[in-house]
Amino acid sequence: MTGIGGVEMGAQAARSRALAVLRVRSRALAVALLPAAAAVILLVGGSTGHLAGGGWDVLRWIVSVLALLVLAAAAGVALVVARSRPAVTPTVTVAEESAPDLYRMVRDLADRLDVPAPSAIALTPDCDSWLEDRTHPAHGPPPAERHDDDLAGPGGPAQHRSAAAPVLVIGSPFLWWMRVGELRAVLAPVVAGTGPSAHPDIAAARRFIRGLDAAVAVASEDRRDPFSRVACAGLGWVSRLLLRTCRGHAAEMERGVAAAAAERAQAVDYGLRIVAQEQVGLAYAGWDRLLTRVALPAWRMGRWPSRLDVGVVAALTELSRRDRLAEGFASRLGERPACDLLEEPGVMDEAVSLLAARLFHGGPAETGPDWSPVGWEEYPEEVVDRTWRTDAARLHRVLDTLGVRRAAEGTAPGTDGPTLARVLDHLTTPDAEITVIPAAGSDIHTEAGAEARAHFHAHAEPEIDTESGSDAATDAPHPPYGDVDASPPPHRTPDAPAADNDEGEGGDEDDEDDEDDLAGTTARGAALAAGLSAQLAREEAEARPAGARTPASAPGPAAGPDAALWDDRALPLLPLQPPRTGREILTAHITAMVCCAAMDTAGAAPALDWLDGPSLLFDGARTADLAPSVLSLVESGDPGPLRAWMTDLGIRPEKPVRLV
């Protein structure tokens, strides 16, 4: 059924499910009041002489005490459910004075749909849009001037709606990539959801569900006091029981709300909604590639791109030119972009970019010496070049701990600097010495993996010749490259537990994961990967206190994360990728060293590819894929493909390179 009938059917279904949720709340209240009702009956019966006698007196005392305990427990649970702060999505608030055209568009859309207008607008670093209720008292008092955030205009009814209407959360990539008409079509079914949400039964049911969810979170917190642990255990049991009882009704209620909103929004820009949905999928693809390929390397370097939304436009433009959507792309350029609805799009983009860095990487809330913004024009030099040279310096530092010579025998004096030849010579395994760590399931799997780690640990400190008393690994001690600490990384033997494992368990499991990760590599490659992984883990651990858990700063008047509304003690909330494996770390460091040699000996230049991230340019063109050649060296110790690749481009591996 479509049209008004479909809207009414969806709204009616949502209301009936909301009443079912509220009946669960009423039944819980009735159960809590049942002992009190029994106590009242016994007390009244005793006072009137109908229930007289010693047995009745004892029963009255027992039931009265039980009623008081149950009432106290119920009051405690109800208080926690009512006062606990529900989870709120981290966003950047958009004040009406900073986006009057956007507020006007949403207001007109709500009037056309005949639904209450959202109380405010916020941006999120995600490709999605939704309504979010932030009227809970725990979220703080409302702003002093409600008319700034009220989309419905002044007046008594508008003020009432502003206190109850949800906040419209818009994905920031939509604003920068979509045209105004496309954004309007995408937001139509979202804004239409304020109609069913304004119904008192649906609003009460949602508040009850959010309160139970927040109560479960409160009960899950660690408590040292035994009494508090017992109380939280009881609170958690009751809250989870009620949530399980309401789960089915709540899901059906939300489906009914969504159905009613979709039916109501069909009358608004129906033809344009099909095109807009295609742009939603395209925006999601470009946004994901931008975060994982472009933003993540910068975040790891302590820099956060300050114009992520501008970057996603560039990435999607490049993607559009490569696929079938390129034909219609030129016509879209003539339309007004949705970001023009903002007075200062650059300020909003910067605030959203910082919030994205916090959510996806766990960076600090404020700019500092180790956490500074970077523009796209500075990205190749400040991120790509520095990342490669930092990784190359770490690679040579670990080679120092393994006792690898800096220069081959017979080379000219002064050529013992950090060279690519040193890496190639170390990883190149003669045919008579090839030792490949077998894959998981092999009979000698455990022994080979332990041998590779023992190889690294045995060379973590330079070997001393007992006869001459000199360093047998190098001709003379060398200082570290750059400002990087050259002290050997902390390590543990295969039988020792991890340093951060209080119970001392999980050591064997970690060893097995390491063996699976390095299966199929040479012993030298596995040892080098183990050293790089340990060194990188130590550097990240040393940098974590200064960044990952820094308290959020207060939002500014125009834009800023809603720090007061969400808990950021455990960042990142949405990590982009799992931790890199040892093989991936080793491959990345060797690739970085090759790129450094290409820049210093063959005139190559670092660059940024919007879809693939850091790239290497020769004469203004991207080089061929380097990964297969590097993998051949890592997995089999064969430098042939890599040397052929470097020869074609004129890269000289014996020349020292500059490191940070």
Side-chain angles (χ1 to χ4, degrees), residues 202-293:
I202 296 177
R206 285 177 167 176
R207 285 195 300 269
F208 180 59
I209 296 296
R210 288 195 300 270
L212 291 177
D213 184 71
V216 171
V218 171
S220 301
E221 296 180 358
D222 294 334
R223 308 283 182 176
R224 294 186 176 182
D225 182 18
F227 178 77
S228 299
R229 287 200 299 267
V230 173
C232 288
L235 171 65
W237 181 82
V238 173
S239 301
R240 292 185 181 91
L241 176 62
L242 293 176
L243 276 176
R244 285 194 298 268
T245 307
C246 299
R247 182 181 303 165
H249 299 304
E252 293 298 328
M253 178 185 68
E254 297 301 336
R255 290 192 185 96
V257 171
E263 289 289 345
R264 185 179 294 273
Q266 281 189 354
V268 178
D269 301 330
Y270 179 75
L272 191 58
R273 287 173 60 188
I274 300 176
V275 178
Q277 289 301 321
E278 294 181 355
Q279 301 305 320
V280 169
L282 189 62
Y284 182 84
W287 181 249
D288 180 71
R289 290 182 72 97
L290 182 77
L291 292 181
T292 56
R293 306 289 181 89

Side-chain angles (χ1 to χ4, degrees), residues 45-97:
S47 62
T48 57
H50 291 82
L51 302 177
W56 288 107
D57 292 337
V58 173
L59 183 60
R60 265 190 291 272
W61 276 103
I62 294 176
V63 175
S64 298
V65 171
L66 178 62
L68 291 176
L69 293 177
V70 172
L71 287 177
V77 172
L79 183 62
V80 173
V81 171
R83 298 300 302 173
S84 296
R85 184 174 65 178
V88 175
T89 307
T91 57
V92 175
T93 300
V94 181
E96 186 170 2
E97 59 268 16

